[in-house]
Structure formats: structure tokens, C-alpha cells
């Protein structure tokens, strides 16, 4: 091992010498003076021996590789021509002699880079593009940056009960992995998780060549998260939504970001509208096909809807010793009370149980509270008209009732959301609270304070 390290050092020195040679060559030739990064590809490529580069490949540090961040050069902040250093995971720009990648390879003695756009590997500073055979041996890294699925992979998602193994050989269930919470973005994580579990949307994303979405920024970034979430070869069993949320932050003019709290319902509506707008350019958007229903209002007016909001009856709670008596309602009855006239029921019906109206009174405690009423439902069947649905995702408030009676919770900041997801291959429900997991009994789901539910047609 020591010997090998020594060899790598030697090779590195060689590489620096070679690089200097490349630099001199470039400097000495006016033809190269105004090269852009892309045009500089050919520089120094031809005369190098790939033999020694295999040793560089051993410096790849899989344990720290993380491709979830926005593909922006950390030094120049450029977002074009960005590479990932596979030794230290830094994102850097370009390959020409003035570029951040070139400098980094010399200064830090790091030599293996991946181009985030083309997914080609390069040895720097020699500017050597790895040959096809070597690239094949690093395919898992390419797929980690941009997972792609074949029809057979999709079939497995409907049948395979096995667990996958991460880099540390720890088992994880694909599709059921935690999303990092920077402190305030559980509101967006629960929506991203829920949407990723809508099979018709997921399957469309997994089976569509990601290049189709290249011009559709939001769809592309969202699809990348979904493709990573269901990937069977993750190095670590959790993801960050940084790249997607960075785009959402700028697109929504900071209405939604990783750094401020919002309501999951508002985020869901915004996201569905935006995804729908982008996809409508291609064909009739799959988003409206799945999620949009139609209602008849005021006699003959038809309106489209993304979700149904149900009101909870106003409640006054009485303290009974240390416990509060919580009223219970049936989900079916709450829907019937609204007297909706459906023209078309969607494939996936989203229901929002509005708990945020400040009309809950708790006798003996001042201030308005979230409505803690229990809404009872059968997750396996909800019948509306002649359509049957089953629950696939349930977004619930994390703060249990006792806690919310202690803290003042009339602003958003005390709200924390978690999501309960159906794994129908294993026939179990999993609750994901940021990075924490537990299995839950489907018969006890109603005990939590459901807030947003995703019902799929059966
Ligand atoms: Zn590096």
C-alpha cells in the first residue's frame, strides 16, 4: 500500500511535468490562445500513455461522492462546463489551462474528473479522456450522477421485495429513502416523496429518456430526484434536494426555498402547476392527466381542480384531567358534506384536510390552535360515486397533540411534517420523518393528524 502511494506520488509528479509541457505547448501556439473550454478538448490528448492513469483511478473516493448539489463551479460560480472531482467531490469548471479544474488538479494533486453534462471521465491536468473500456468500469458513477432505467428495472419495482445495499453494505429499500432536511424544508420533502410514489408519474419519468427533458428545467431536476430515489445502487441511503430546490427558489422568486418554511399544500399546488406548464409543451401533460379533476359549480360551471380541501367542524376542546378529548370524524362524511358534483374524478385524488383555520378553542388554554380532530378512513378503500381509491401517501403533522398544547403553534415555524408511504410490494407502510424511518400499522394511520392525502384509483 505504501509502495502504491509512493508510486502515485511519483505519477503525480510526472503528471505535473506533463501538464507543464501541455501548458507550454498551448502557450507556444497562437492557434490555441483563444480556446474555449470545449475547444480545448484536444489539447494534449494524443501523446499520453493511459497505462499510469489506472493508478489515478484508485484515488477515487466513493465514500464522499455526492452529486445532489447544484452543478455549479464552487470557485467561479459558473454553471456551464462543470466537472466533479472524484477524489474530493469538489465541483469545478473547465479543462483548459486557466480553468478551475486544471488548477485544482495541479494544486491538490487530484486527477480524475467527471463532466456532469456528457458524463465523460477525464484525467487532468493531462486532459486525457478515459477510453470506452475504462469508462465502462466506472459506469456506476455515471449512473449515480444520472440514473437510467430499462423496462426490466421498472418491472422489478412491482415485484422485487429485496433490500438494496449502500456503499457500507447497509440495507435500504429503494424508493423509501430519507431526504435531508436543512431545518425548514420538511414541507417540500414530504411533497417530493409523495409525488415520487405516484406510480403513473414515476413510471413516466423512469421510462422517459432524460434528454427529452433537457429544455424543461424543472421537469429535468424533478425527474432526477425521482430517478435517484428509486435507484438500486445508491452509495448512501439518503438524498438531498438541493439542486431541485435551488431552481425552485429562483423560479418561485423565493416563495419556496430550502431556507424558509412554507405550507406543503401551497408548495404542491405551485409544483403541479409548474410541472404541468413545462410538460404541456411536449404533449397533453401527464401531470394534468393524473391529478386534475373537474367539478360542477353554480349549476353548470365546470372548474378544474388539483386537490380537494375539506373543512373540519369547529371544535371546542375540554381538558379532561391531563388529556384533551379529541373529536373524531369520518373522511367520507367530510367529503359528502361538501356536496361536490364531480364531472371527472382524477386518477390520483389529493385531499387536504384543513387544520389551520384558527377556530379551535381549547378551554383553559389561551390562543388559537391547529385543529387536532381525528379523521377516520380506511386506507384500502375510499369510494366516491362509483370510483374506488386506495391511499398511497399520507402527509401528517409531526407535532403530536400534547406538544402542540404546550407550545404556541399559530405560526408555521412550529409545524413539522412527515410522510407515510405505502410499499405495496412488501405490503407495509413506512413513515419517513426526514432521515428517520419506522414501519407503521395501516390500521393506525388515521390516528395521526393527516393533512394531505394521495389516493390512487383502483
Ligand atoms: Zn479534488
Amino acid at each position: 500500500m505504501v509502495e502504491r502511494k509512493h508510486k502515485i506520488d511519483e505519477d503525480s509528479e510526472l503528471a505535473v511535468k506533463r501538464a507543464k509541457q501541455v501548458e507550454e505547448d498551448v502557450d507556444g501556439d497562437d492557434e490555441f490562445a483563444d480556446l474555449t473550454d470545449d475547444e480545448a478538448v484536444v489539447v494534449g490528448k494524443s501523446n499520453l500513455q493511459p497505462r499510469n492513469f489506472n493508478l489515478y483511478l484508485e484515488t477515487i473516493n466513493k465514500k464522499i461522492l455526492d452529486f445532489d448539489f447544484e452543478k455549479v463551479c464552487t470557485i467561479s460560480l459558473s454553471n456551464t462546463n462543470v466537472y466533479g472531482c472524484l477524489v474530493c467531490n469538489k465541483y469545478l469548471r473547465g479543462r483548459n489551462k486557466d480553468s478551475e479544474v486544471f488548477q485544482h488538479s495541479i494544486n491538490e494533486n487530484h486527477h480524475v474528473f467527471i463532466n456532469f453534462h456528457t458524463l465523460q471521465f477525464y484525467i487532468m491536468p493531462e486532459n486525457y479522456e478515459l477510453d470506452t473500456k475504462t469508462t465502462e468500469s466506472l459506469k456506476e458513477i455515471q449512473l449515480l450522477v444520472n440514473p437510467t432505467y430499462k423496462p426490466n428495472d421498472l418491472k422489478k419495482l412491482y415485484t422485487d421485495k429485496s433490500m438494496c445495499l449502500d456503499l457500507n453494505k447497509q440495507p435500504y429499500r429503494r424508493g423509501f429513502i430519507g431526504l435531508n432536511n436543512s431545518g425548514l424544508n420538511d414541507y417540500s420533502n414530504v411533497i417530493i416523496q409523495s409525488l415520487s410514489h405516484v406510480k403513473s408519474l414515476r413510471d413516466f419519468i423512469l421510462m422517459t429518456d432524460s434528454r427529452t427533458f433537457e429544455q424543461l428545467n424543472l421537469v429535468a431536476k424533478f425527474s432526477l430526484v425521482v430517478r435517484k430515489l428509486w435507484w438500486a445502487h445508491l452509495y448512501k441511503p439518503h438524498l438531498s434536494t438541493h439542486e431541485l430546490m435551488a431552481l425552485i427558489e429562483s423560479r418561485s422568486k423565493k416563495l419556496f426555498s430550502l431556507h424558509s418554511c412554507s405550507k406543503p399544500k401551497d408548495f404542491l399546488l405551485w409544483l403541479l402547476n409548474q410541472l404541468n406548464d413545462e410538460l404541456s409543451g411536449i404533449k397533453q401533460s401527464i401531470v394534468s392527466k393524473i391529478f386534475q379533476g373537474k367539478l360542477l359549480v353554480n349549476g353548470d360551471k365546470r372548474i378544474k381542480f388539483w386537490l380537494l380541501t375539506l373543512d373540519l367542524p369547529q371544535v371546542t376542546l375540554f381538558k379532561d384531567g391531563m388529556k384533551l378529548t379529541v373529536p373524531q370524524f369520518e373522511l367520507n362524511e367530510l367529503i359528502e358534506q361538501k356536496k361536490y358534483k364531480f364531472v371527472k374524478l382524477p386518477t390520483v385524488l389529493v385531499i387536504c384536510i384543513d387544520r389551520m383555520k384558527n377556530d379551535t378553542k381549547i378551554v383553559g388554554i389561551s390562543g388559537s390552535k391547529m385543529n387536532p380532530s381525528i379523521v377516520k378512513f380506511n386506507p384500502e378503500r375510499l369510494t366516491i360515486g362509483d370510483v374506488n381509491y386506495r391511499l398511497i401517501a399520507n402527509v401528517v403533522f409531526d407535532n403530536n397533540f400534547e406538544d402542540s398544547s404546550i407550545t404556541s403553534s399559530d405560526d408555521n415555524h412550529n409545524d413539522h411534517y412527515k410522510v407515510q408511504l405505502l410499499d405495496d410490494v412488501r405490503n407495509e407502510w413506512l413513515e419517513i420523518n426526514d432521515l428517520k424511518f419506522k414501519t407503521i400499522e395501516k390500521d393506525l394511520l388515521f390516528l395521526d393528524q393527516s393533512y394531505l392525502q394521495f389516493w390512487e384509483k383502483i
Side-chain angles (χ1 to χ4, degrees), residues 367-385:
S368 306
K369 299 283 181 290
M370 184 178 68
N371 191 321
S373 300
I374 285 174
V375 177
K376 296 183 81 174
F377 55 87
N378 172 4
E380 287 177 328
R381 186 161 296 229
L382 172 70
T383 305
I384 303 177

Side-chain angles (χ1 to χ4, degrees), residues 289-399:
K289 255 190 197 164
I290 297 171
F291 295 98
Q292 214 162 52
K294 264 187 214 155
L295 281 172
L296 210 56
V297 291
N298 300 333
D300 58 351
K301 202 175 160 213
R302 288 166 182 227
I303 56 159
K304 292 174 182 169
F305 69 90
W306 290 117
L307 58 79
L308 298 179
T309 301
L310 303 180
D311 306 314
L312 284 169
Q314 185 178 338
V315 290
T316 303
L317 302 171
F318 298 96
K319 260 201 148 178
D320 172 19
M322 287 307 286
K323 288 261 175 191
L324 294 168
T325 317
V326 182
Q328 299 195 1
F329 303 98
E330 292 285 338
L331 181 65
N332 256 328
E333 286 168 13
L334 291 176
I335 296 172
E336 279 162 22
Q337 273 170 21
K338 297 285 267 192
K339 301 200 184 335
Y340 287 124
K341 291 195 180 80
F342 294 102
V343 179
K344 184 198 156 214
L345 278 157
T347 313
V348 172
L349 176 67
V350 186
I351 292 177
C352 175
I353 298 165
D354 192 358
R355 296 178 178 276
M356 306 306 277
K357 281 189 180 165
N358 289 332
D359 57 6
T360 306
K361 293 182 182 64
I362 299 178
V363 175
I365 300 171
S366 60
S368 306
K369 299 283 181 290
M370 184 178 68
N371 191 321
S373 300
I374 285 174
V375 177
K376 296 183 81 174
F377 55 87
N378 172 4
E380 287 177 328
R381 186 161 296 229
L382 172 70
T383 305
I384 303 177
D386 54 0
V387 179
N388 290 319
Y389 288 95
R390 64 165 184 171
L391 189 66
I392 54 165
N394 193 31
V395 174
V396 301
F397 284 99
D398 185 26
N399 40 343

